[in-house]
C-alpha cells in the first residue's frame, strides 16, 4: 500500500495473518458494495505488469493473496521492488 500511495495511486487494503488484499480506491472497503467502487481496469494493468516482473498474484482484486513460511525475506523484498516499479509506470 505504501508503494502505491507513494506513486500517487488511491489504494487501500489490509491483512490478517498470512492473508492480504488491496483495492485501487480511496477506501475503506468494508463490503462488496464498497469494493465495486474500485478501479478494476487499473488492477488488471497492475496484475499484468506484475506478471511481467515474475510476480504471480491473484488475478482479481476481489481475491485474497496469501503468504506462507515458504516465502523468504528475499522473496518479499523482490516483490516490493517489483510493485514499486509497476506502480510507477501504470
Amino acid at each position: 500500500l505504501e508503494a502505491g500511495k507513494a506513486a500517487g495511486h488511491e489504494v487501500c487494503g489490509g491483512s490478517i495473518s498470512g492473508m492480504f488484499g488491496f483495492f485501487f480506491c480511496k477506501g475503506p472497503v468494508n463490503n462488496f458494495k464498497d469494493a465495486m467502487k474500485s478501479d478494476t481496469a487499473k488492477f488488471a494493468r497492475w496484475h499484468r505488469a506484475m506478471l511481467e516482473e515474475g510476480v504471480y498474484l491473484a488475478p482479481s482484486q476481489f481475491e485474497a493473496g496469501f503468504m506462507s513460511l515458504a516465502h523468504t525475506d528475499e522473496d518479499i523484498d523482490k516483490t516490493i521492488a517489483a510493485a514499486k516499479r509497476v506502480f510507477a509506470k501504470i
Side-chain angles (χ1 to χ4, degrees):
L1 294 177
E2 292 174 18
K5 289 177 182 176
H9 299 284
E10 286 190 343
V11 294
C12 69
S15 63
I16 185 168
S17 298
M19 190 168 79
F20 65 91
F22 78 95
F23 299 89
F24 280 102
C25 64
K26 186 175 179 181
V29 171
N30 295 310
N31 52 48
F32 186 68
K33 184 178 177 182
D34 294 343
M36 290 300 294
K37 297 174 186 172
S38 60
D39 189 340
T40 55
K42 184 181 277 191
F43 185 92
R45 291 192 307 275
W46 181 83
H47 181 264
R48 281 190 296 277
M50 289 295 284
L51 287 174
E52 292 170 7
E53 291 278 345
V55 179
Y56 296 80
L57 298 163
S60 168
Q61 61 186 351
F62 301 107
E63 299 178 58
F66 296 91
M67 295 286 301
S68 76
L69 294 174
H71 294 103
T72 65
D73 287 344
E74 182 181 358
D75 294 328
I76 295 166
D77 291 342
K78 285 182 178 181
T79 302
I80 292 170
K84 286 179 179 179
R85 289 189 296 274
V86 169
F87 280 127
K89 70 180 181 181
I90 61 166

